[in-house]
Amino acid sequence: QKEVEQNSGPLSVPEGAIASLNCTYSDRGSQSFFWYRQYSGKSPELIMSIYSNGDKEDGRFTAQLNKASQYVSLLNRDSQPSDSATYLCAVSGSARQLTFGSGTQLTVLP
Amino acid sequence: DGGITQSPKYLFRKEGQNVTLSCEQNLNHDAMYWYRQDPGQGLRLIYYSQIVNDFQKGDIAEGYSVSREKKESFPLTVTSAQKNPTAFYLCASSSLGWNEQYFGPGTRLTVT
């Protein structure tokens, strides 16, 4: 059974703090990893993709991938109230389909 | 503007009726997908298509049907056989060879 698990929320951080969102996956054949942001009532928006071990930075977001530990994370280094949303981790395995986690709700307090 | 459109935004139907959800994209993507999202849950794959006139079942295809007669269009029919059809339905597309999927705005279906 392929699974993607995210740390349980909700997660609250003050404005300007670092928010850390974590995700583990069970399929060792997974090749591609994505983070989507979903505002309440809206569709998911792709904010980060990562394909190889290590860190990938894009603006205030940093994705970290460790395939040996089957772990991918998303750091928001300067959280803003507008970042308050649910963050979905998605993993693409050998079948090239995406499996989504159930999401972590993040609230950034002004 | 390139993007994915879904219509309608909200849809209300009586139990026992079939309903068709529209999905159109002008991104020239080859692959298209249908997902279902229930409150507090992640997305579950219903059907996907990587090429015109071909499609495959996802994890929860029972009670749903699709067609892919044009590259730009991938409509989803929710049939009366779907036991719990009330949900948020999301269409996505991607280029073949890339796994990055982009989503339309979604259709919220309520069946009573």
Side-chain angles (χ1 to χ4, degrees):
Chain A
Q1 178 78 13
K2 298 175 186 174
E3 288 187 354
V4 176
E5 296 189 4
Q6 297 186 236
N7 53 326
S8 59
L11 175 65
S12 292
V13 300
E15 183 174 354
I18 297 174
S20 177
L21 304 168
N22 303 315
C23 175
T24 58
Y25 59 94
S26 61
D27 182 2
R28 286 197 170 274
S30 298
Q31 300 291 329
S32 309
F33 306 85
F34 306 93
W35 285 98
Y36 287 83
R37 177 175 60 198
Q38 187 175 24
Y39 292 112
S40 181
K42 302 296 185 182
S43 63
E45 172 194 9
L46 180 65
I47 58 171
M48 185 71 82
S49 56
I50 187 166
Y51 300 93
S52 55
N53 280 331
D55 295 358
K56 178 181 178 182
E57 194 174 309
D58 185 357
R60 294 182 290 106
F61 292 104
T62 299
Q64 299 175 320
L65 174 61
N66 184 327
K67 289 186 179 180
S69 300
Q70 297 175 243
Y71 174 93
V72 58
S73 67
L74 183 71
L75 299 178
N76 184 346
R77 295 189 306 280
D78 180 20
S79 299
Q80 300 298 308
S82 59
D83 297 328
S84 297
T86 296
Y87 289 78
L88 300 171
C89 173
V91 175
S92 176
S94 50
R96 302 181 71 80
Q97 296 175 32
L98 289 187
T99 301
F100 286 82
S102 57
T104 299
Q105 185 179 340
L106 172 66
T107 300
V108 182
L109 304 171
Chain B
D1 267 344
I4 304 173
T5 58
Q6 291 186 243
S7 62
K9 187 174 181 179
Y10 298 96
L11 190 54
F12 298 88
R13 280 293 181 270
K14 294 289 189 184
E15 202 172 298
Q17 293 179 333
N18 290 355
V19 59
T20 297
L21 282 57
S22 168
C23 178
E24 304 273 337
Q25 55 96 3
N26 61 4
L27 299 169
N28 200 33
H29 284 169
D30 295 291
M32 298 185 74
Y33 311 81
W34 275 106
Y35 292 91
R36 167 185 173 136
Q37 187 176 36
D38 295 284
Q41 296 190 31
L43 280 64
R44 293 184 289 168
L45 182 64
I46 303 172
Y47 268 100
Y48 66 101
S49 168
Q50 296 187 331
I51 195 169
V52 173
N53 292 323
D54 188 48
F55 48 83
Q56 285 77 40
K57 293 181 179 180
D59 299 323
I60 55 165
E62 185 176 348
Y64 300 97
S65 65
V66 295
S67 63
R68 186 87 187 276
E69 296 176 2
K70 297 187 300 182
K71 184 176 181 178
E72 302 80 17
S73 178
F74 191 40
L76 173 74
T77 297
V78 184
T79 76
S80 56
Q82 168 50 231
K83 297 202 184 317
N84 195 12
T86 295
F88 188 35
Y89 289 88
L90 291 154
C91 178
S93 69
S94 68
S95 297
L96 271 185
W98 294 91
N99 291 330
E100 296 180 347
Q101 294 183 17
Y102 298 90
F103 285 86
T107 292
R108 202 166 294 275
L109 173 65
T110 302
V111 177
T112 57

